Amino acid sequence: MVNNNYLKVGCVIPVCHLGKPIDNANEIIKCAKRITDADIICFPEMCLTGYSLGDWIVNKELLDNANKALQMVVNESNDSVWLVGGPLNLNGDLYNVCYVIQNKKILGVVPKMHLSNYREFNDGRSFKSGLEYSNKTLTIEVLDQLVNFGAMIFENKHASFGVE
């Protein structure tokens, strides 16, 4: 995948079905499978559920379906690193996170540090900031996998990268 010392990064905006995580997972998988030559594929923030859900983001059924959708995405992942946005309920706190996924594994989970709270954005109403994890990580369980949560550097055979 790396030619002439370049790393190929794909940025994808799949069709979003607001509040329908299973449909969104299918869109994410369909898009990712079409990109055969990228080392890293970036998907939008909160693409598992949709971003503009307002107070509906705390709905238990929606969060349960988001976990099912995440499992679908993880199960279909391949050699490319997939950066997929979604919610994470951790000890009763809801985080807006990026799941870093490769080869059917979650490599890590990075919470959004700087929440948007201006004009039409009101992230602080629903999400907790991940700033307390900007200099540390902890090990959490996601989909029966133990993964690091917090700010971290990821490494693959071609590059080191971070997520915010």
Side-chain angles (χ1 to χ4, degrees), residues 106-153:
I106 299 172
L107 304 179
V109 181
V110 180
K112 186 173 182 181
M113 304 287 173
H114 304 285
L115 300 178
S116 305
N117 284 308
Y118 56 90
R119 292 196 303 268
E120 68 272 17
F121 302 105
N122 197 6
D123 289 355
R125 180 179 171 102
S126 301
F127 297 109
K128 183 173 181 180
S129 168
L131 272 175
E132 69 180 282
Y133 301 102
S134 63
N135 293 319
K136 64 180 179 179
T137 60
L138 64 121
T139 302
I140 63 171
E141 187 175 325
V142 179
L143 303 178
D144 298 323
Q145 296 181 34
L146 292 178
V147 300
N148 285 334
F149 174 83
M152 64 197 94
I153 300 295

Side-chain angles (χ1 to χ4, degrees), residues 58-144:
V58 298
N59 178 283
K60 183 181 178 341
E61 183 179 358
L62 176 75
L63 294 173
D64 289 345
N65 284 333
N67 282 335
K68 291 175 188 171
L70 176 63
Q71 184 69 69
M72 290 170 60
V73 170
V74 169
N75 289 346
E76 294 296 323
S77 63
N78 56 29
D79 285 340
S80 296
V81 175
W82 298 4
L83 306 179
V84 178
L88 172 71
N89 187 336
L90 181 62
N91 300 326
D93 292 319
L94 191 61
Y95 292 91
N96 176 343
V97 303
C98 176
Y99 294 97
V100 181
I101 302 165
Q102 183 181 36
N103 288 327
K104 300 177 181 16
K105 288 184 159 184
I106 299 172
L107 304 179
V109 181
V110 180
K112 186 173 182 181
M113 304 287 173
H114 304 285
L115 300 178
S116 305
N117 284 308
Y118 56 90
R119 292 196 303 268
E120 68 272 17
F121 302 105
N122 197 6
D123 289 355
R125 180 179 171 102
S126 301
F127 297 109
K128 183 173 181 180
S129 168
L131 272 175
E132 69 180 282
Y133 301 102
S134 63
N135 293 319
K136 64 180 179 179
T137 60
L138 64 121
T139 302
I140 63 171
E141 187 175 325
V142 179
L143 303 178
D144 298 323

Side-chain angles (χ1 to χ4, degrees), residues 13-87:
I13 302 174
V15 172
C16 180
H17 305 275
L18 194 60
K20 296 182 178 179
I22 303 302
D23 293 343
N24 291 330
N26 287 323
E27 295 288 345
I28 290 165
I29 293 163
K30 181 171 67 173
C31 290
K33 294 294 182 168
R34 275 193 240 147
I35 300 173
T36 59
D37 59 347
D39 297 290
I40 300 173
I41 304 173
C42 302
F43 291 92
E45 177 179 4
M46 294 297 292
C47 65
L48 283 173
T49 58
Y51 182 84
S52 58
L53 291 170
D55 290 341
W56 191 22
I57 192 64
V58 298
N59 178 283
K60 183 181 178 341
E61 183 179 358
L62 176 75
L63 294 173
D64 289 345
N65 284 333
N67 282 335
K68 291 175 188 171
L70 176 63
Q71 184 69 69
M72 290 170 60
V73 170
V74 169
N75 289 346
E76 294 296 323
S77 63
N78 56 29
D79 285 340
S80 296
V81 175
W82 298 4
L83 306 179
V84 178

